[in-house]
Amino acid sequence: MSVRVARAARAWARSVSGRRGSSNCPRPPPAAVDVAALLRDATAADGGSQDAQAAAGRREPGQCSVLLFPGQGSQVVGMGRGLLRYPRVRELYDAARRVLGYDLLELSLRGPQEALDRTVHCQPAVFVASLAAVEKLHHLQPAVIENCVAAAGFSVGEFAALVFAGAMEFSEGLYAVKIRAEAMQEASEAVPSGMLSVLGQRQSNFTVACLEAQEHCKTRGIENPVCEVSNYLFPDCRVISGHLEALQFLQKNSSKYHFRRTKMLPVSGGFHTRLMEPAVEPLVQVLKAIDVKKPLVSVHSNVDGNRYMHPKHIQKLLAQQVVSPVKWEQTMHAIYERRKGTAFPQTFEVGPGKQLGAILRSCNLQAWRSYSHVEVLEAGEDPEEPL
């Protein structure tokens, strides 16, 4: 064991000795993975957390790394099987069982898919699988963790990014995801709604399409219909969320709006719209109970694509994110914008699926050339489809 990793292990031992005692959330066992401890050690070696940004700037850009955490919709039965051989991954799932009250590993490995796809299950499943993938990456390439300069997560993946960056502890983050998923599941069951992935063209007018879909809903007796862009993925590609009647209208009239392809997503509700307003307050309350810290590396918010600045900023925007569009395209530009000729960092997608890699390729081809995926399935098990 290197001196650096040994110091990280001691930092983790200190972190479970009573710190953050204000939370009533179940805690992971002392041996559970704490990649944030390795980050703490890396910043200490560079002269302290206040100098971390300057230290990152001194590294060659090509030596730095960025971690991307996937969101709901990436779940697949079997995820996690390719991670169990790595140290402490089973302990992560044991800790998850205590927080959730059911065997998440069994559900992730054996399904059925219909149960895994439920919001209340898939959000915690993707969260834990992503952090288990970080443990795999830490085991195989520890320098990637030490040289990480930025992280971002898609929707629920933002919680995993924040746990990775040390802004909240694993069990606290998972408990927040549990409450979020339950509240979003309940909100989605109140109204028949969903999400539609739309690949458009330059002449596609998403705003007009959504307004006309809303007017159509009114003719069908739906009061206060919702139909709006909920995810900005890459140029000319959006996800539209809202009432099912509105989404069906858009699919039937796709040629009118110059949509090249539409596809319903495997989610249970119209997420990231005002249909999720009932889910905001439960999440606000649980976030108040969590001792949120300033991230050790830059974590970018889905709400505006910018870096989180302080703990209260995190608590505010995580709640706002539930009813706001995910500005992923804007986030990719914020992370990878650089002067011409400057090398791009290594990018690792940690978690099920490769959709964030596909999006990165469409947003920034040069950045994508340094992209890798940390596999969570066994070899030959990946059912990945193009976005």
Side-chain angles (χ1 to χ4, degrees):
M1 177 182 292
S2 69
V3 173
R4 183 181 292 270
V5 175
R7 287 203 301 266
R10 289 196 294 273
W12 169 236
R14 291 193 297 271
S15 77
V16 297
S17 63
R19 187 168 58 86
R20 302 188 184 185
S22 60
S23 172
N24 293 323
C25 302
R27 304 176 68 85
V33 61
D34 182 35
V35 178
L38 188 62
L39 284 169
R40 281 194 293 273
D41 182 63
T43 55
D46 288 322
S49 59
Q50 292 183 347
D51 297 329
Q53 295 278 352
R58 290 194 296 270
R59 298 188 189 108
E60 290 295 327
Q63 295 176 345
C64 298
S65 58
V66 172
L67 266 58
L68 303 180
F69 294 80
Q72 184 170 349
S74 63
Q75 69 277 357
V76 61
V77 171
M79 65 182 187
R81 185 173 289 117
L83 306 172
L84 295 177
R85 68 175 68 95
Y86 296 99
R88 298 186 294 276
V89 167
R90 286 189 182 274
E91 293 173 30
L92 272 183
Y93 279 100
D94 287 342
R97 180 169 52 189
R98 292 195 292 275
V99 173
L100 300 172
Y102 60 87
D103 192 340
L104 182 66
L105 180 59
E106 177 71 16
L107 178 62
S108 298
L109 293 181
R110 296 180 175 82
Q113 186 70 46
E114 294 77 14
L116 185 60
D117 283 344
R118 295 189 70 227
T119 296
V120 71
H121 293 144
C122 71
Q123 289 192 17
V126 171
F127 171 90
V128 176
S130 295
L131 289 168
V134 170
E135 170 63 9
K136 174 182 177 179
L137 182 60
H138 169 206
H139 181 75
L140 297 177
Q141 300 184 62
V144 170
I145 306 301
E146 295 179 17
N147 294 325
C148 182
V149 294
F154 196 102
S155 190
V156 71
E158 194 166 297
F159 286 81
L162 287 164
V163 168
F164 160 73
M168 58 183 76
E169 297 197 12
F170 174 81
S171 287
E172 292 178 325
L174 178 57
Y175 186 72
V177 168
K178 175 181 183 290
I179 297 301
R180 178 185 190 266
E182 290 171 350
M184 291 175 70
Q185 179 80 48
E186 184 174 352
S188 68
E189 290 172 352
V191 177
S193 58
M195 303 179 77
L196 180 72
S197 176
V198 179
L199 181 60
Q201 304 176 66
R202 287 194 175 183
Q203 62 266 46
S204 299
N205 193 321
F206 293 97
T207 301
V208 169
C210 289
L211 289 173
E212 292 187 359
Q214 291 175 30
E215 290 302 317
H216 166 76
C217 288
K218 290 178 182 178
T219 67
R220 297 300 178 95
I222 299 175
E223 296 182 2
N224 301 315
V226 174
C227 184
E228 56 198 55
V229 173
S230 58
N231 297 171
Y232 293 83
L233 301 181
F234 55 85
D236 302 324
C237 188
R238 305 285 185 265
V239 173
I240 297 175
S241 297
H243 284 84
L244 281 180
E245 182 68 35
L247 303 183
Q248 291 165 358
F249 171 84
L250 292 179
Q251 284 190 297
K252 291 177 183 177
N253 294 275
S254 60
S255 60
K256 175 183 177 180
Y257 302 115
H258 306 285
F259 295 162
R260 285 193 283 169
R261 187 168 70 245
T262 62
K263 179 182 178 182
M264 291 297 297
L265 299 182
V267 296
S268 59
F271 302 143
H272 299 289
T273 70
R274 54 189 169 88
L275 289 174
M276 293 294 112
E277 284 178 355
V280 173
E281 187 58 26
L283 182 57
V284 167
Q285 293 305 315
V286 75
L287 288 172
K288 285 181 180 178
I290 293 177
D291 184 14
V292 179
K293 301 291 187 182
K294 184 176 180 179
L296 294 166
V297 298
S298 297
V299 177
H300 290 252
S301 167
N302 285 181
V303 173
D304 55 16
N306 297 325
R307 292 180 296 173
Y308 282 115
M309 303 307 296
H310 51 77
K312 289 190 180 299
H313 194 212
I314 293 172
Q315 291 169 316
K316 177 183 176 181
L317 293 190
L318 281 180
Q320 187 178 334
Q321 185 225 69
V322 174
V323 291
S324 303
V326 173
K327 294 185 176 178
W328 193 254
E329 180 182 348
Q330 295 87 332
T331 299
M332 294 298 95
H333 290 314
I335 291 176
Y336 295 103
E337 184 178 13
R338 59 203 58 234
R339 293 178 181 175
K340 186 176 181 180
T342 303
F344 285 92
Q346 299 179 77
T347 297
F348 295 85
E349 183 170 357
V350 281
K354 301 174 185 175
Q355 291 191 347
L356 298 185
I359 294 172
L360 178 59
R361 182 174 185 175
S362 296
C363 287
N364 191 319
L365 181 61
Q366 289 299 110
W368 173 81
R369 295 189 193 283
S370 299
Y371 162 89
S372 300
H373 174 243
V374 181
E375 187 58 75
V376 302
L377 300 168
E378 290 283 17
E381 198 178 27
D382 190 352
E384 192 66 30
E385 296 180 1
L387 183 72

